[in-house]
Amino acid sequence: MPRTRSVSSRCRSKNSSGKFRFGIEEEYFLVDADTNAIATIAPESLFKAVKTLTRGRGKREFLQQQVEVATEPHVDIPKARVELRELRQMLAAIAASHGLALMAAGTHPTAAWTQARQTKGARYDSVMHDLQMIGRRNMLCGMHVHVELPDPDVRVDVMTRMLPYLPIFIALANSSPFWQSQRTGLMGYRLAAYDELPRTGVPELFRTRKEFDAYVDALVRAGVMPNASFIWWAMRPSTAHPTLELRAPDCCTRLEDTVAIAALYRTLARRVFCNPSLNADLTAVSRAIVVENKWRAQRYGIHGTFVEEASPRGVPFARWLDRVIEEAAGDAAALGCLDEVMHCRAIVEHGTSADSQLAVYREARNEGAGREEALAAVSEWLVATTLGHELGHDLEHELGHHLEHELARNLADDLGQDDLGRYLHPGTRDRSVNSIRTYPDGPTLSVPRSAETMALHVDPGLAPDMPDI
């Protein structure tokens, strides 16, 4: 986790600042339009229509139950938002003409990986031959963000120095709390499944392009992989574009969350590129802490505390995010995306897709629904929200209770009850949803005082499913 430090800037020169063009890729599930269950088969005519009507911006993915879109390169965030919204709507319309619908999430709540069917193609055939069952288990949908640096030769250096920020993007994008009709107990299960693949997870501490190329060359010579595109790290230098590609986040259900995370990634890429000394002193210990924080982002998401190398105690996610945004605000303003970056705070306030899914599930169970019915309600919410439908009042109220409880419970577990008051302050809003406030000593989380008394209560609704539930 990076700390504030004095940095030297390579972006002071007008000619070296660059535009930091970016593009966004999203992977979606294709589901039955009537039941929202994962599609058993997607006809070839659907993918032909997708390719034609999106002018190549939409295409098939590794599994037949998935489809992917990629925006044009942009320098303007609002234009990227408009294009991505149009792509979602266009794909949804095409899917509807085939009796299918679109779902944006890291995992489908009820899909079984045994239902997966590989898309035919030389590359996919090669991958499946190598991965075997692990390839079939890859029924997962992610979000990728590409950022073009003014000097593509420093992408490896920037990637390494970006590593401490990696858990932030994971926590903000969590949308996979369910797997094969089970509550996993994680806010983001997708990476737990994805990390079964080789060459995934946190990149190694390569300092130069020469070191990275030597690694790639060794694997290619050994016949392990044909080229660097078979490296699926959470962040990597793209082989298809002169960009640094973020691959860790789940596909966000809400479009605005996608845009906000893309804006933050672009902003931090600029900050790290422009300041060569920022995070230049990362060590093996630093990387190990990134790995731990990655896990905590998957497990607890925005509700957890995170490890800071120089800190005597864990740091709540909201405080960490606020500090990072404050340090990078100048870069966000220079790129014209400060409002979008600030939306990351709103994600913490209102919750991620994973929070909403758990709230939908709990509300359905509280109303007497069985597990299958509750999961069907989650799938229905995901399909509707993918195209921008709003939360109902009852669900928003339930989500607020989930947020305040999850936050308080995790903080109490990690910091101890005595330290909980450091980060929790009584709120003033009628709603019970968390808010972020700025106090004289910095931004803190604001939740109702009642959350402190709930901190030691273990909510069975958030525990993994057991046979008798």
Side-chain angles (χ1 to χ4, degrees):
M1 185 183 299
R3 295 186 67 86
T4 304
R5 67 187 78 185
S6 60
V7 292
S8 59
S9 176
R10 60 153 62 106
C11 286
R12 289 176 183 153
S13 168
K14 180 178 180 180
N15 294 331
S16 64
S17 60
K19 295 182 178 180
F20 294 86
R21 295 196 307 166
F22 70 100
I24 303 171
E25 299 174 0
E26 288 188 319
E27 300 163 351
Y28 312 118
F29 292 108
L30 292 168
V31 302
D32 184 277
D34 293 325
T35 66
N36 297 317
I38 198 73
T40 55
I41 188 169
E44 184 65 26
S45 56
L46 181 148
F47 294 109
K48 288 182 178 179
V50 166
K51 183 176 181 180
T52 300
L53 296 177
T54 65
R55 290 178 292 182
R57 289 290 155 195
K59 63 179 183 178
R60 61 178 75 243
E61 247 296 325
F62 181 59
L63 300 178
Q64 290 185 25
Q65 290 93 343
Q66 298 170 308
V67 63
E68 179 185 43
V69 297
T71 69
E72 297 278 357
H74 287 279
V75 295
D76 184 81
I77 284 280
K79 290 182 179 178
R81 177 191 291 109
V82 169
E83 183 185 9
L84 195 57
R85 180 183 295 114
E86 290 176 348
L87 286 170
R88 284 193 179 197
Q89 293 172 345
M90 188 178 299
L91 261 63
I94 296 170
S97 69
H98 291 80
L100 302 174
L102 210 63
M103 178 188 288
T107 58
H108 186 289
T110 62
W113 64 263
T114 52
Q115 299 172 289
R117 298 188 180 187
Q118 179 217 319
T119 298
K120 296 300 181 183
R123 176 184 172 89
Y124 294 147
D125 289 347
S126 174
V127 171
M128 188 64 81
H129 175 74
D130 188 31
L131 298 180
Q132 296 294 306
M133 182 185 288
I134 293 175
R136 293 185 61 204
R137 284 170 56 83
N138 193 32
M139 193 173 283
L140 313 163
C141 285
M143 161 197 172
H144 303 166
V145 185
H146 291 259
V147 173
E148 184 178 15
L149 305 181
D151 180 2
D153 285 339
V154 301
R155 286 181 296 167
V156 172
D157 170 63
V158 172
M159 175 185 71
T160 297
R161 294 189 291 114
M162 284 276 285
L163 292 184
Y165 300 118
L166 187 60
I168 291 180
F169 308 119
I170 297 171
L172 291 171
N174 278 334
S175 65
S176 51
F178 296 98
W179 176 249
Q180 297 199 125
S181 300
Q182 298 288 321
R183 285 172 293 170
T184 64
L186 279 64
M187 302 303 288
Y189 183 78
R190 169 181 155 268
L191 286 182
Y194 192 74
D195 285 349
E196 292 181 336
L197 278 64
R199 302 178 296 282
T200 56
V202 178
E204 302 298 333
L205 288 181
F206 293 127
R207 303 292 180 177
T208 65
R209 178 176 178 176
K210 183 178 179 180
E211 289 181 348
F212 175 75
D213 288 346
Y215 166 74
V216 172
D217 290 345
L219 270 59
V220 170
R221 289 196 310 270
V224 171
M225 62 183 190
N227 55 59
S229 70
F230 287 74
I231 294 173
W232 300 302
W233 289 337
M235 195 186 308
R236 70 177 184 183
S238 173
T239 57
H241 310 284
T243 59
L244 184 61
E245 179 187 9
L246 175 67
R247 300 172 51 81
D250 289 354
C251 182
C252 295
T253 309
R254 300 183 183 92
L255 178 68
E256 288 302 318
D257 293 356
T258 296
V259 174
I261 293 167
L264 180 62
Y265 176 66
R266 182 189 181 207
T267 293
L268 292 175
R270 183 187 191 275
R271 174 166 169 75
V272 172
F273 172 85
C274 292
N275 298 282
S277 62
L278 181 61
N279 297 336
D281 56 352
L282 297 182
T283 65
V285 172
S286 306
R287 183 184 180 278
I289 289 174
V290 172
V291 172
E292 179 62 31
N293 283 338
K294 171 180 173 289
W295 158 250
R296 298 189 67 74
Q298 295 170 228
R299 170 62 180 88
Y300 301 104
I302 60 175
H303 310 288
T305 58
F306 291 78
V307 181
E308 188 170 58
E309 195 168 348
S311 176
R313 56 172 49 87
V315 178
F317 180 81
R319 182 179 289 275
W320 179 21
L321 176 66
D322 270 15
R323 188 173 65 203
V324 168
I325 290 176
E326 180 182 356
E327 293 172 358
D331 296 275
L335 295 172
C337 59
L338 183 57
D339 287 345
E340 288 76 14
V341 168
M342 293 299 291
H343 181 76
C344 292
R345 286 175 165 174
I347 297 175
V348 175
E349 179 179 356
H350 297 294
T352 64
S353 171
D355 289 304
S356 293
Q357 290 179 54
L358 290 167
V360 170
Y361 183 88
R362 179 189 286 115
E363 181 185 28
R365 292 302 297 268
N366 288 344
E367 292 179 353
R371 188 187 338 187
E372 291 184 3
E373 291 177 290
L375 289 169
V378 174
S379 294
E380 182 179 4
W381 179 87
L382 285 168
V383 171
T385 308
T386 296
L387 296 182
H389 292 204
E390 296 293 329
L391 284 172
H393 174 74
D394 291 343
L395 175 57
E396 184 177 3
H397 181 72
E398 179 63 34
L399 177 58
H401 282 301
H402 162 69
L403 284 168
E404 67 181 54
H405 175 80
E406 182 75 354
L407 170 70
R409 181 165 66 104
N410 293 335
L411 288 178
D413 289 345
D414 293 332
L415 301 179
Q417 191 69 38
D418 292 340
D419 286 332
L420 188 61
R422 248 177 233 279
Y423 302 112
L424 302 184
H425 295 264
T428 57
R429 297 190 303 169
D430 292 335
R431 290 189 302 161
S432 58
V433 179
N434 301 320
S435 63
I436 299 178
R437 297 198 158 179
T438 301
Y439 286 80
D441 62 342
T444 61
L445 284 172
S446 173
V447 299
R449 178 67 66 183
S450 59
E452 295 187 32
T453 63
M454 294 190 300
L456 298 181
H457 170 65
V458 178
D459 186 351
L462 295 179
D465 280 326
M466 300 301 288
D468 58 343
I469 293 180

